[in-house]
Amino acid sequence: MTDDLRGKVAIAGIGNTRRWHAPGRSAYDQLEEAAFLALEDSGLTLRDVDGLYCAHSTSGLPILNVVERLGIGSHLCHADGTMVGGASFLFHLRSAVSALVSGQCDVALVCYGSNQASAGGKLVPMPDPQPYEAPYKPRYPISSYALAAARHMHDFGTTREHLAAVALAARDWARLNPDAQERGPLTLDDVLSARMVSDPLSTRDWCLVTDGGAAVVLTRADRARDLKRPPVHVLGTGVAVSHRQIAQMPDLTRTAATQSGPTAMQAAGISVADVDHVMLYDAFTICTLMFLEDLGFCAKGEGGDFIASGAIAPGGSLPVNTNGGGFSCNHPGMYGLFTLIEAVQQLRGDAGDRQIQDAQIALAHANGGVLSSQATAILGTAATV
């Protein structure tokens, strides 16, 4: 994303079904509801949508399914079904900005739905074989993240208490969010004594498994100013990919967020010091810690101490995952789109008891695969453009 795209596109509407366990509703039921909620929020209709973006973990043809489900094929001008795991939707955001500014479409809908929990609670199946890792019978995907966590511990002295602080901060935020699935008390002992799944990660180092649907509507900023809700401008985006199998990750303690983050911030014309609010894809506790380091909020190896200091919890210096994140709010298989939705709510001032005062700039970051794809978006209020 180049500087000439800064602020030219805005998120005009958001949709979140908040249905974390909805038996009888399919993934596409969730997606459709989220799409209509986002359009209603923006004041636009399906007839206005001529750009479509979606990805799905259990469908090879999500664009075709959604076009048929929503009945928008006759007026669709642009579509993109890029699939890079949970980061896909921030990849879509970047693509939509270019498409909107270049006139390839006028209104873009980015949407997702999942019935992962009510369909049996199983994690997303691996869609392709990993021949160099399969002989070792890893537990996908947690063994991959455990490998990264173990290496971080070895290199930098990170502890399980440091990782536990991620889950505790997320729960503290969730207790301020009436829509969060898990709002009960959680202690350090609860996390440290939880059943080990793949050393050093336990069941408390792992995100929730929920249903859910999410959608955002984007249009050019000049049009968004005249719509129903205050526009939230896309100031900058960045994407990066580094590997497929964890065994091919160049450095187990550094993700491609070291590329996507600076790219997004350069396009937005900001530094980490300008960010008021952060949403990070927290599939596992090690993710939050590594992304804070890789995005530049603290030095490499200092993430554990930074989090343990209370910096990312309510009342801390850097509000992170204020909805409760994937650990305590929701995680319907592919969580990336929900980072954008919470960022928009904060910048609109609509976050209730968890609202960050005077939030003007938010950073949303998503992860896909096994630390494989990374995508960063910088969003801002009208005052930042």
Side-chain angles (χ1 to χ4, degrees):
M1 184 171 182
T2 57
D3 290 344
D4 61 340
L5 298 179
R6 185 187 190 277
K8 297 291 182 62
V9 168
I11 296 176
I14 56 174
N16 183 352
T17 67
R18 298 177 174 85
R19 296 180 186 269
W20 310 143
H21 189 71
R25 296 178 66 84
S26 72
Y28 288 105
D29 290 334
Q30 289 270 8
L31 181 151
E32 182 177 19
E33 180 180 355
F36 277 105
L37 288 170
L39 288 164
E40 180 181 13
D41 186 53
S42 70
L44 297 169
T45 71
L46 270 181
R47 289 294 307 172
D48 296 302
V49 175
D50 57 357
L52 177 65
Y53 297 81
C54 61
H56 204 281
S57 60
T58 57
S59 169
L61 301 171
I63 287 286
L64 304 186
N65 285 317
V66 174
V67 164
E68 183 175 280
R69 181 67 179 258
L70 298 181
I72 59 175
S74 62
H75 54 276
L76 200 66
C77 297
H78 187 77
D80 185 346
T82 295
M83 173 58 173
V84 288
S88 298
F89 311 103
L90 272 68
F91 275 68
H92 295 164
L93 178 76
R94 181 176 172 89
S95 175
V97 168
S98 296
L100 287 161
V101 172
S102 66
Q104 294 177 358
C105 63
D106 293 318
V107 174
L109 173 67
V110 184
C111 49
Y112 173 68
S114 171
N115 64 339
Q116 187 175 11
S118 59
K122 295 181 179 179
L123 284 171
V124 175
M126 183 180 286
D128 50 318
Q130 303 296 297
Y132 301 108
E133 296 180 5
Y136 299 96
K137 299 182 179 179
R139 293 188 172 186
Y140 184 84
I142 191 170
S143 291
S144 298
Y145 287 88
L147 190 63
R151 187 72 206 188
H152 203 282
M153 288 177 165
H154 178 273
D155 286 358
F156 303 111
T158 304
T159 66
R160 289 198 64 220
E161 286 80 3
H162 287 147
L163 297 179
V166 173
L168 294 175
R171 182 59 58 87
D172 286 344
W173 281 115
R175 297 183 76 176
L176 301 175
N177 180 6
D179 294 320
Q181 176 167 296
E182 298 293 337
R183 302 183 66 213
L186 183 68
T187 68
L188 178 62
D189 184 63
D190 290 334
V191 180
L192 296 180
S193 63
R195 178 174 59 86
M196 189 66 67
V197 180
S198 188
D199 194 7
L201 302 182
S202 75
T203 56
R204 292 292 189 179
D205 292 289
W206 201 339
C207 64
L208 301 173
V209 177
T210 73
D211 298 342
V216 300
V217 174
L218 299 111
T219 190
R220 287 182 288 276
D222 55 355
R223 183 176 187 180
R225 285 193 291 268
D226 298 326
L227 295 177
K228 186 176 176 182
R229 301 301 305 275
V232 171
H233 295 265
V234 182
L235 304 182
T237 63
V239 300
V241 295
S242 56
H243 60 279
R244 173 61 181 94
Q245 300 181 121
I246 196 69
Q248 299 302 311
M249 187 173 178
D251 181 340
L252 286 170
T253 67
R254 286 173 173 81
T255 73
T258 55
Q259 299 168 250
S260 67
T263 298
M265 284 185 261
Q266 181 179 10
I270 68 159
S271 70
V272 291
D274 299 308
V275 176
D276 302 309
H277 172 247
V278 178
M279 288 299 297
L280 303 175
Y281 195 127
D282 54 346
F284 297 89
T285 48
I286 189 61
C287 294
T288 301
L289 189 153
M290 289 175 64
F291 296 152
L292 286 170
E293 295 175 345
D294 293 345
L295 292 168
F297 290 102
C298 56
K300 179 56 64 179
E302 296 181 4
D305 288 339
F306 180 71
I307 294 166
S309 74
I312 71 171
S317 59
L318 183 69
V320 174
N321 293 346
T322 50
N323 63 344
F327 280 103
S328 289
C329 182
N330 69 297
H331 193 291
M334 296 167 67
Y335 177 73
L337 197 46
F338 292 91
T339 67
L340 292 176
I341 287 175
E342 175 68 9
V344 169
Q345 285 191 269
Q346 288 287 346
L347 295 180
R348 285 180 174 177
D350 290 344
D353 290 342
R354 65 188 190 280
Q355 179 64 48
I356 306 307
Q357 186 175 4
D358 299 324
Q360 299 293 321
I361 294 177
L363 180 151
H365 182 81
N367 162 72
V370 287
L371 298 171
S372 311
S373 61
Q374 305 299 326
T376 310
I378 310 296
L379 306 180
T381 64
T384 66
V385 178

